[in-house]
Amino acid sequence: MSDNITKGKMIKPENLVYTKSRVMTDNVTSYCPGCGHGTAHRIIAEVIEEMDIQSEIIGVAPVGCSVLMYDFLDLDIQQAAHGRAPAVATAIKRLMPEKFVFTYQDDGDLAAIGTAETIHACNRGENIMIVFINNGIYGMTGGQMAPTTLEGMKSSTSPYGRDVATMGNPLKMTDIVATLPGTYYVTRQSVQKPANVRKTKKAIRKALEYQKLNRGTCFIEIVSNCPSGWKMTPVESNKWMEDTMFPYYPLGDFKVPEED
Amino acid sequence: MERELRLMKGNEAIAEAAIRAGADGYFGYPITPQSEVLEYLTMEKPHERTGMIILQAESEVAAINMVYGGAACGKKVMTSSSSPGISLKQEGITYIAGAELPCLIVNVVRGGPGLGTIQPAQSDYFQATKGGGHGDYKLIVLAPASVQEMADFVELAFDLAFKYRNPAMILSDGAIGQMMEKVWLKPQKERSREFPEWATTGKTPDRERNIITSLNLDPNKQEDFNHKLQAKYREIEKNEVLYEEFQCDDAEYLFVAYGTSARVCQKAIELAREEGIKVGLLRPITLFPFPTVIISRLADQVKGILTVEMSAGQMVEDVRLAVNGKIPVEHWGRMGGIVPTPEEAVENLKSKIIGG
Ligand SMILES: Cc1ncc(C[n+]2csc(CCOP(=O)(O)OP(=O)(O)O)c2C)c(N)n1
Ligand code: SF4
């Protein structure tokens, strides 16, 4: 009876409710439990699989927790210096315009050290997709203040909370790039719930479809969590993100093409 | 396009030679005294001639990272700048060295430190030959002494860069960048349509994914990689040394100088020999790999060596290492963007070496 039921017998098309995208590798990710990075990777992989463009896409990994993105996505990937991914991606796309190119960057990478590269790539309207993970903190280096850290928010370098008078205001990079004529599609999404995951996945799909049509820069911010850096459980972190991050970084589209 | 004789500035020669060498992309940012490279390329519309891409970046930082991106696709890509801009590129250069990517970086050196002067200098020798950025790495460094060599070394640098998967630099100076000379340009070479097997071009089912990175979290792996790099540099030292000897056969004294200073020394040799002083010149063409063996050999023949550099004395350290105490080695040079005169060079040969 039950002895006869093997894994092989169970894995039948009619029993399958979920399968890992074949664009993901079998490596265990280096992300903390409950971190949004893993989900963001997964939906990028799924879109690439669904569009069948694995052999036509080149990714650029940042410096940050996702520096090892190339261990988890089964794609040709270049690892860029901290903040320089948009410049790296610019050249890849200019030299191989027939390929798809995307960067995956976190807030320290994209909105602090890489501000110039981000703005100028968007301003030139480079035909690339930029996926921007905003978790309001420097995760990899141990929870320091990021350009996106909220007012009053504690981090290891704003231990009394971010004082905007001396430390500057949380930077809304997505709002800024939406004002640039070079960007074509700009949106802010999240991945903490299935409904949001679906929306973000749709945004990624759209961005890559627009890239095929040479429309300009597509910029997708994903407001995300950092349970370790925020010193919260995954559940607490998602609640805190919804209650505190979303009011300052409201979800939604900033720039939607006419053709939609 | 056929072989052709033209009168050009050194900077223009680099640009035209790059198009003819079949370069795929150039990424730059204006700075005197090398802006003609980008100006020439934008004027020339190489995209229409060969498909070569030209882009003015928002900074030297962006430009060198564009070079990283292009090189990692297996493309023949380059950038050029002058000293302050090359300082900005150092982060990108060490990543390129760490990811073992081939590319060409041109430095048309001006005087420093800081904003310094826009006049020619050779004060970036240490930066070019000893690493420049962080970590143990080497660039292949070529030092042209004429507009002809500015043109010729573009293709040579690309060939060496691809042969060793290593960044190559042309270390020139404002004098050679700005002066006009006759130059033979090679016929147009076709841009390569083939990709090296390590290039990121999109993962196809028939191979593993290609990853370009300089990261090794495991220190043992990083040390293995460091050893691999060092082995490559030793191989380059064994195979690729280039230099020129000038009136060395009967020399009792020796100048060692590269680039503009080497030309000054050639004239100085004429003046000195009129006075009966038998002096020759060893001109390093590759600064890394440095012509250590020949200098050591010449040190058994001559009584003393004067290096002439447009700096406070940088290459002199490598000459002293090669000579290893066998004979006196002194430095004389001008700084601040001043080109030394042959007369001064002879005077200093007399006072520092012959009389010393
Ligand atoms: C030039 C340079 N400066 C600093 C660092 C150190 N560093 C590594 S990751 C990082 C911040 C990453 O934060 P973020 O981009 O927000 O990514 P996260 O780790 O939160 O995903 C910093 C400062 C570096 N690697 N390079
Ligand atoms: S430190 Fe934060 S951002 Fe990094 S993996 Fe952990 S939870 Fe995610």
Side-chain angles (χ1 to χ4, degrees):
Chain A
M1 291 195 324
S2 63
D3 311 23
N4 296 337
I5 300 174
T6 61
K7 205 167 130 195
K9 281 183 184 163
M10 277 170 64
I11 302 178
K12 288 188 194 145
E14 61 268 31
N15 292 337
L16 279 184
V17 288
Y18 177 76
T19 177
K20 178 177 76 69
S21 166
R22 60 175 172 76
V23 176
M24 299 277 311
T25 65
D26 288 333
N27 296 331
V28 176
T29 76
S30 46
Y31 301 121
C32 308
C35 174
H37 273 306
T39 316
H41 281 16
R42 170 169 68 80
I43 53 181
I44 291 173
E46 285 174 0
V47 171
I48 290 168
E49 181 174 353
E50 285 159 23
M51 290 176 73
D52 197 19
I53 56 170
Q54 186 181 21
S55 63
E56 298 163 58
I57 190 160
I58 294 127
V60 185
V63 174
C65 283
S66 47
V67 63
L68 290 173
M69 178 173 84
Y70 52 75
D71 274 351
F72 317 130
L73 294 179
D74 191 19
L75 299 173
D76 278 6
I77 289 178
Q78 301 186 14
Q79 195 277 305
H82 198 17
R84 317 297 177 218
V88 171
T90 293
I92 304 173
K93 188 69 186 184
R94 295 274 180 132
L95 288 160
M96 300 197 296
E98 71 287 359
K99 306 279 175 179
F100 293 88
V101 180
F102 75 98
T103 73
Y104 184 100
Q105 301 173 258
D106 310 344
D107 41 17
D109 192 85
L110 179 141
I113 197 165
T115 312
E117 285 78 4
T118 304
I119 296 218
H120 284 280
C122 289
N123 193 48
R124 287 189 302 263
E126 298 298 339
N127 245 310
I128 57 174
M129 172 174 79
I130 296 177
V131 178
F132 165 38
I133 306 289
N134 174 7
N135 56 14
I137 204 153
Y138 284 12
M140 190 196 203
T141 39
Q144 295 84 6
M145 182 175 68
T148 46
T149 297
L150 294 177
E151 181 172 3
M153 187 174 162
K154 286 186 179 161
S155 73
S156 68
T157 53
S158 57
Y160 306 107
R162 182 179 192 152
D163 168 24
V164 296
T166 57
M167 299 167 174
N169 291 281
L171 192 59
K172 297 184 174 182
M173 221 29 195
T174 305
D175 305 45
I176 295 172
V177 302
T179 65
L180 303 173
T183 52
Y184 188 68
Y185 172 51
V186 181
T187 187
R188 182 185 287 131
Q189 301 294 336
S190 68
V191 291
Q192 85 286 17
K193 283 181 183 160
N196 298 69
V197 172
R198 276 196 294 274
K199 274 195 191 159
T200 308
K201 188 173 160 182
K202 237 170 107 180
I204 290 166
R205 171 96 194 204
K206 269 203 234 176
L208 291 176
E209 298 284 0
Y210 294 142
Q211 192 173 140
K212 205 168 8 182
L213 304 172
N214 287 326
R215 290 288 195 255
T217 313
C218 293
F219 190 98
I220 301 170
E221 174 178 344
I222 302 177
V223 182
S224 191
N225 61 352
C226 176
S228 299
W230 298 354
K231 303 194 174 20
M232 294 177 192
T233 65
V235 175
E236 282 166 1
S237 73
N238 280 338
K239 171 131 185 30
W240 190 85
M241 177 175 74
E242 289 174 352
D243 294 347
T244 322
M245 295 272 282
F246 288 179
Y248 193 80
Y249 300 111
L251 305 187
D253 291 334
F254 284 75
K255 203 172 193 177
V256 187
E258 298 277 316
E259 60 195 283
D260 257 39
Chain B
M1 205 162 269
E2 292 309 304
R3 194 172 119 93
E4 191 186 340
L5 186 64
R6 294 246 290 261
L7 183 66
M8 294 182 109
K9 280 191 177 191
N11 288 335
E12 296 167 343
I14 289 226
E16 178 61 32
I19 304 172
R20 290 176 184 239
D24 295 302
Y26 170 94
F27 306 92
Y29 187 84
I31 183 169
T32 309
Q34 69 76 54
S35 296
E36 292 84 1
V37 181
L38 178 58
E39 286 170 352
Y40 183 95
L41 285 170
T42 49
M43 180 71 95
E44 203 45 41
K45 296 195 207 162
H47 194 67
E48 292 173 9
R49 278 173 56 183
T50 65
M52 180 186 181
I53 299 291
I54 309 299
L55 186 59
Q56 177 169 338
E58 61 270 33
S59 67
E60 287 88 350
V61 177
I64 192 71
N65 281 284
M66 290 171 184
V67 167
Y68 180 98
C73 297
K75 298 283 187 177
K76 233 185 214 184
V77 287
M78 65 180 289
T79 184
S80 67
S81 188
S82 179
S83 310
I86 296 289
S87 290
L88 266 184
K89 288 186 197 292
Q90 291 303 329
E91 178 200 42
I93 294 174
T94 163
Y95 272 72
I96 288 170
E100 289 195 272
L101 298 174
C103 72
L104 167 60
I105 302 145
V106 180
N107 185 358
V108 183
V109 181
R110 60 190 245 182
L115 202 49
T117 165
I118 58 171
Q119 302 301 329
Q122 296 181 315
S123 40
D124 296 354
Y125 177 92
F126 282 150
Q127 189 197 47
T129 60
K130 308 296 173 190
H134 61 280
D136 276 321
Y137 74 90
K138 292 279 188 190
L139 306 177
I140 297 165
V141 185
L142 302 170
S146 63
V147 174
Q148 183 66 55
E149 285 187 341
M150 288 287 255
D152 292 346
F153 288 1
V154 170
E155 192 172 356
L156 176 62
F158 273 127
D159 287 349
L160 291 170
F162 273 84
K163 179 170 173 191
Y164 293 99
R165 271 191 75 172
N166 203 72
M169 174 176 274
I170 292 180
L171 188 72
S172 173
D173 64 60
I176 296 169
Q178 292 297 327
M179 74 186 177
M180 289 184 100
E181 284 184 324
K182 277 192 285 189
V183 52
W184 277 106
L185 297 163
K186 291 190 179 163
Q188 179 66 50
K189 218 170 136 176
E190 248 194 74
R191 285 175 54 229
S192 168
R193 278 170 225 283
E194 275 159 37
F195 294 100
E197 77 280 354
W198 47 262
T200 54
T201 52
K203 189 217 168 289
T204 46
D206 57 332
R207 65 160 167 85
E208 291 293 303
R209 65 190 185 285
N210 282 338
I211 297 164
I212 300 294
T213 181
S214 58
L215 175 69
N216 269 310
L217 291 173
D218 176 350
N220 290 307
K221 281 197 184 146
Q222 181 63 26
E223 194 186 37
D224 289 347
F225 176 70
N226 285 133
H227 281 306
K228 181 184 162 212
L229 279 186
Q230 292 305 314
K232 174 167 85 175
Y233 302 148
R234 297 297 88 77
E235 198 58 27
I236 293 171
E237 283 169 341
K238 211 170 75 196
N239 301 332
E240 309 299 348
V241 173
L242 294 172
Y243 57 83
E244 188 185 32
E245 284 178 90
F246 187 75
Q247 305 210 14
C248 285
D249 285 352
D250 64 345
E252 293 174 2
Y253 300 98
L254 187 70
F255 287 121
V256 180
Y258 67 93
T260 295
S261 298
R263 294 174 66 131
V264 172
C265 286
Q266 288 197 355
K267 184 69 190 165
I269 287 170
E270 262 178 48
L271 300 179
R273 283 186 177 258
E274 277 167 19
E275 294 182 37
I277 303 169
K278 287 183 179 166
V279 55
L281 165 69
L282 188 281
R283 173 171 81 95
I285 293 175
T286 50
L287 299 180
F288 180 82
F290 194 69
T292 304
V293 176
I294 178 70
I295 290 174
S296 171
R297 206 181 304 144
L298 285 167
D300 295 331
Q301 171 193 326
V302 302
K303 295 179 195 154
I305 295 179
L306 185 71
T307 70
V308 178
E309 300 177 65
M310 284 141 64
S311 76
Q314 301 191 6
M315 181 187 64
V316 64
E317 294 191 3
D318 287 331
V319 177
R320 285 199 176 116
L321 281 174
V323 170
N324 202 14
K326 284 191 274 194
I327 51 165
V329 177
E330 297 296 336
H331 157 77
W332 172 73
R334 298 296 304 265
M335 294 180 279
I338 296 170
V339 177
T341 65
E343 291 77 9
E344 287 176 305
V346 175
E347 277 317 301
N348 280 277
L349 178 70
K350 285 186 199 163
S351 64
K352 288 183 185 295
I353 300 294
I354 301 176

